[in-house]
Structures are given as C-alpha cells and as structure tokens.
Amino acid sequence: MPISAALKSDLDGLSLEENPALVRQKSRDFYWYSPVLKRQLEAVTADAVVTVRSEAEVIRVLAAAFRHGVPVTPRGAGTGNYGQAMPLSGGLILNLAEMNKVTAVKPGVVVAEAGALLSAIDDAARPSGQELRLHPSTYRTASIGGFIAGGSGGVGSIRWGGLRDLGNVLRLRLVTMEAEPRVIELVGDEIQKAAHAYGTTGIITEVEMPLTAACDWVDVLVGFDDFVDAAHFCDGLAKQDGLLTKEIGTVAAPLPHDYFLRHQKFIRRDQSVAILMVAPFAMPALEAFVARHHRASLLYRSDLASDEDRKALPPAYELSWNHTTLRGLRVDPSITYLQVLYPAPDHLARVAEMTAMFGDEVPGHLEFVRFDGAITCFGLPVVRYTTEERLEEIMRLHEAHGCPIFNPHRYTLEEGGMKRSDPVQLAFKREADPKGLLNPGKMIAWEDPDFDFATQRTYLFPGLEETTDATGA
C-alpha cells in the first residue's frame, strides 16, 4: 500500500522510490534458493524504498518511521538467501548501498560504511599489502554490513574461524529506532548484539574490521574417485599448520563436472573435487601433500594456467560455499540445499554415514573451518528436491544422527542461521527498537513473549555463511 502523505512529507528531499516493480525488486534476496521460502515469500514486498547516503539520513528515516509506526527493513546488496532482507510487514526498505565509503585503512584495520562492497574494501586495502580476513562467496557483490548482519563466516574461516569469534569484527556503529534515534558503538562482546541479527536490533552504519597480509592466492582443484577420500584429504590438509590456505572445500561427483561449466574440461564426471586457495609460497608443500595421497590427482592450478584460462575461469571462491548451490541452480532449478554441522572430533565418520545414507539424493558439499582451534566441516549439500515432506525427513534424519541442521528453509533467526535465540540480542532489541519496527517477523523470541530459552539446544558453532549474504550468501 502507498506510504502516507505525512511520512512522505517527513522524508522530503531523500531518495524515495515508490514504483511497485522497482520496490518489489529491492524487496527480494536469494530466498528462491529454497522452494519452501519461494512459496512462502513470493508475494512479499515493501511499500517504498528509501536510499540513504549518510548516517544523518539514516537517523532521519528511522525517526520518521518510528513516529508513524512504519516498519523498516535494512538492505545492503541483497545477497542473503533466507529472506533476511525481505520486508514481511511491508513498510520501508532502507537501502544502504550508497553508504559505501572506505574511510580509513591503517595497519591491521579498515573502517568502512555499511554499504561498502567487500571487494571494494580489499581494493582500498591492498596498496598497503593488506586484505580482509573473511568474506562470503559473493565477495564481488556483497556489502560488509550485510555480511556482518546476515552472515557467519566463509572464505578464510579455515584460518580465522567465524564472524562471531572475538577479534573478527572490531567495532560496529549503529543507529537505534526510537523517537530520537541514538548512535551507539559496540566493541568486544557487545558486537554480538547486532552481529547476525538481520538488522532487527539496529541499523549498522559503520564497521571496523581486522586486516591480514594480502596474498595472490593460487586456485587449485584436486580430484578424487571417492567423496569420503576427498573429505579425509581436506581434513588432513586443514591440519597442516605450516601450509597457508584460505579455502578448503570439497564437492561430490557428479556436481563439479555438471555445475562448474567453465572448469568442466579439467574434471571427469565421476570425480569429486577439492577446491582450494593456497598461498603461492605454499605450493611446493601442497604438491608434497598431494603426493602423499595416492588417490588424489592435481587437476588445475591457476599459477600454471594459460592466460586464456586465467581470464575465462571464475575464481575458486565462486565455486565454494553457496556459490556451489547457485551454479547448480543455473543448471538444474529443481535442486535446493541444506546447511549441516558435522561436529568434531567425529566429523568425518558422520560425513561418511550421511553419504552412505543418502547417496546421490543429497550429493555432498563440505567446507572445512576452524572454530575455537578445532578443525571441523560444515555441509552445504545439494538436495535433489521432490517434496517438502521429504525435505523435512532428510533434515530429521540428519539431526537424529547427530548432524544439526541450520535450516535454510526458514526465515527466522532461531530456526535458520542462529539455531537458537539469543537473550542478549532480545534484551538489546527491547532497548533499541521498543516498537519492534526493525525487520519484524524475523525474531521468534520478540514475537512470542512466552518463549522459553531453557528449552533450546545449544551448539558449539553458531551458524554458517550467508550469503549472504547473505550475506549471505
């Protein structure tokens, strides 16, 4: 429905879009990865999109929307994939894409506005010999604010862990949604009040992130006749502390051949493939490690590729995490995926069990990560989708065999990426968003005042990438 004349008057001078087709476009993320969410969210749209270019404009929008009782859903690049940025209650989409400045690069630290693209942040940092520690597979299109608000880790997590690990986000600056919005800076444990909260607890306007030494990473593909062999190879490689990697993942046959179309000439259809990003100086060590595994075949390495291939082939990170799913959907729109934790130290045994149980109905995809000093793997397996009932059964069987599902077919924090409600986030939302107007419908604990935190299961690892960016994504 159209926004009121009074609200429009309060937003006069700001960039306001009311064209229904354009508003609908900006009301969407990659929710269509899930056939369940596609059915549930297809009709969701905001009433208008307001694009802001400064923190002062954010404050003005939130004050006006609060005054008129209008919901506000923040949006960065819209690369999340469980409806995080979709306005369930209509109202305003707050488009932060124009708040994209990188304001400072210092030794070990970068400061940027929330709408800055991750790739643009690295472009600004690399002249000083630095780069971001972590990024999703949507590196070239995702914003840093969306990554923090909707994501949990990704490329780089094999070395640095997840976004929720202390030190991987240094500071957040955000605006509350009150009659007189406040600007708050969060550091240390306080960062968790807004990290992976889908913008329900405040609007992130600026972030301070750690940097690490930049590297001209070598993309490597290693082939295997057996997916479980590939998983053991990746796990062993992840534990080689002296061998510097940024990405270690593996995808079961026939997906690499069928989905990685521009790499297809390097891959047999019956080969499972390990996808790696390796420091150039570590390549001799990698060659030695591959040689120890007589079942492993080095298929491709970008440092020895032709100029034609280097220009034509996508980077390895765009074969990993949820880009694997995206490439699959382009080939076969009927598939979907899951997000699974295989808890250490028995993660490889659980992978083997699930592989044997489901076979080609749920072809495997593992991403190896380091959390709390331990190596384990998350799964983003493809599901050859038939019905919602069978999808629920597949998830139930994973859970019954000790493999928790972070459900990508739900749009709430508790059912999806978080796997639990966070009483700290809930308490902060009551303070920062007293009317519940920020991205309503995404936090069960807010919607249900009788929610019992004591009934929840807790997990060592609190979520997966996003894409999102969602970040997902």
Side-chain angles (χ1 to χ4, degrees):
M1 59 183 293
I3 63 172
S4 69
L7 176 57
K8 192 179 297 188
S9 175
D10 285 349
L11 300 178
D12 184 52
L14 298 180
S15 177
L16 187 69
E17 178 60 67
E18 295 182 89
N19 181 301
L22 296 177
V23 171
R24 180 179 172 84
Q25 181 186 58
K26 290 294 186 184
S27 299
R28 294 172 136 51
D29 62 11
F30 284 36
Y31 73 104
W32 43 265
Y33 272 40
S34 163
V36 179
L37 295 183
K38 191 173 190 303
R39 173 180 58 78
Q40 293 175 341
L41 302 180
E42 187 69 17
V44 167
T45 187
D47 301 315
V49 177
V50 58
T51 298
V52 290
R53 294 176 174 81
S54 68
E55 186 176 84
E57 291 188 353
V58 172
I59 292 170
R60 183 179 165 193
V61 170
L62 294 186
F66 185 90
R67 187 158 50 248
H68 297 283
V70 174
V72 174
T73 300
R75 174 191 169 92
T79 59
N81 51 295
Y82 1 94
Q84 301 105 308
M86 295 185 66
L88 301 182
S89 300
L92 293 174
I93 287 285
L94 181 66
N95 179 23
L96 297 155
E98 298 298 318
M99 287 184 62
N100 57 14
K101 298 183 183 66
V102 179
T103 56
V105 176
K106 299 175 283 188
V109 174
V110 63
V111 180
E113 293 180 327
L117 299 185
L118 295 158
S119 57
I121 293 173
D122 271 354
D123 287 344
R126 282 205 180 96
S128 66
Q130 302 181 95
E131 67 182 21
L132 289 165
R133 290 179 177 180
L134 303 169
H135 64 76
S137 60
T138 48
Y139 169 75
R140 293 197 269 196
T141 53
S143 67
I144 187 66
F147 183 38
I148 293 169
S152 292
V155 178
S157 284
I158 189 58
R159 179 169 179 82
W160 297 105
L163 283 173
R164 291 176 66 86
D165 288 341
L166 284 170
N168 278 337
V169 181
L170 302 177
R171 177 178 59 86
L172 295 181
R173 185 176 172 94
L174 78 160
V175 179
T176 65
M177 189 164 187
E178 304 172 85
E180 296 184 6
R182 292 171 292 144
V183 176
I184 298 175
E185 297 210 345
L186 305 177
V187 297
D189 280 331
E190 290 184 335
I191 287 169
Q192 304 311 323
K193 294 176 178 179
H196 204 82
Y198 297 0
T200 59
T201 62
I203 302 299
I204 299 170
T205 57
E206 182 181 83
V207 303
E208 185 173 339
M209 300 291 288
L211 297 172
T212 187
C215 195
D216 187 14
W217 299 98
V218 179
D219 295 342
V220 179
L221 301 182
V222 182
F224 301 84
D225 293 337
D226 180 78
F227 178 63
V228 175
D229 283 346
H232 279 272
F233 171 90
C234 289
D235 188 68
L237 179 61
K239 292 172 180 173
Q240 296 293 313
D241 292 336
L243 207 162
L244 183 58
T245 58
K246 189 171 184 177
E247 163 64 19
I248 301 177
T250 183
V251 180
L255 303 189
H257 178 275
D258 290 355
Y259 294 173
F260 304 161
L261 299 182
R262 282 186 278 175
H263 288 84
Q264 199 173 64
K265 63 183 179 180
F266 301 106
I267 305 166
R268 297 196 321 265
R269 194 167 190 269
D270 63 347
Q271 278 182 315
S272 297
V273 171
I275 301 159
L276 314 175
M277 293 172 65
V278 183
F281 60 79
M283 284 303 298
L286 177 70
E287 290 178 39
F289 188 79
V290 171
R292 293 179 185 178
H293 294 259
H294 66 277
R295 297 177 182 175
S297 302
L298 196 55
L299 304 179
Y300 170 81
R301 47 188 288 182
S302 61
D303 59 338
L304 299 182
S306 67
D307 289 342
E308 181 182 0
D309 280 341
R310 276 196 294 269
K311 291 177 183 176
L313 297 176
Y317 62 79
E318 289 187 356
L319 307 178
S320 71
W321 293 90
N322 253 327
H323 253 74
T324 305
T325 316
L326 178 60
R327 292 185 182 281
L329 283 163
R330 290 171 177 167
V331 173
D332 181 1
S334 71
I335 65 162
T336 188
Y337 78 114
L338 297 177
Q339 296 185 145
V340 187
L341 170 63
Y342 304 96
D346 301 321
H347 48 293
L348 295 180
R350 295 174 193 270
V351 167
E353 184 180 17
M354 294 299 98
T355 300
M357 180 179 295
F358 294 109
D360 193 55
E361 183 184 13
V362 187
H365 170 197
L366 305 175
E367 294 291 344
F368 285 79
V369 295
R370 182 185 304 273
F371 282 134
D372 293 340
I375 298 296
T376 192
C377 53
F378 284 128
L380 292 92
V382 164
V383 177
R384 300 195 189 280
Y385 180 76
T386 52
T387 65
E388 287 189 32
E389 292 75 19
R390 178 55 180 165
L391 182 63
E392 290 291 333
E393 175 71 2
I394 290 169
M395 290 190 283
R396 187 193 66 76
L397 287 168
H398 275 82
E399 295 262 1
H401 287 80
C403 302
I405 296 289
F406 297 81
N407 194 341
H409 307 285
R410 300 287 186 270
Y411 52 75
T412 62
L413 283 162
E414 292 88 344
E415 296 171 293
M418 290 287 284
K419 195 66 182 179
R420 58 183 174 80
S421 286
D422 187 333
V424 173
Q425 285 187 349
L426 177 60
F428 184 61
K429 182 174 177 65
R430 288 172 175 152
E431 171 193 338
D433 180 25
K435 287 186 179 179
L437 292 172
L438 284 175
N439 205 358
K442 304 297 172 60
M443 184 186 286
I444 293 174
W446 174 270
E447 309 293 335
D448 179 5
D450 298 322
F451 188 84
D452 183 5
F453 288 100
T455 64
Q456 297 189 110
R457 299 165 66 183
T458 57
Y459 296 90
L460 177 61
F461 308 116
L464 295 172
E465 178 205 33
E466 102 32 329
T467 145
T468 288
D469 203 174
T471 269

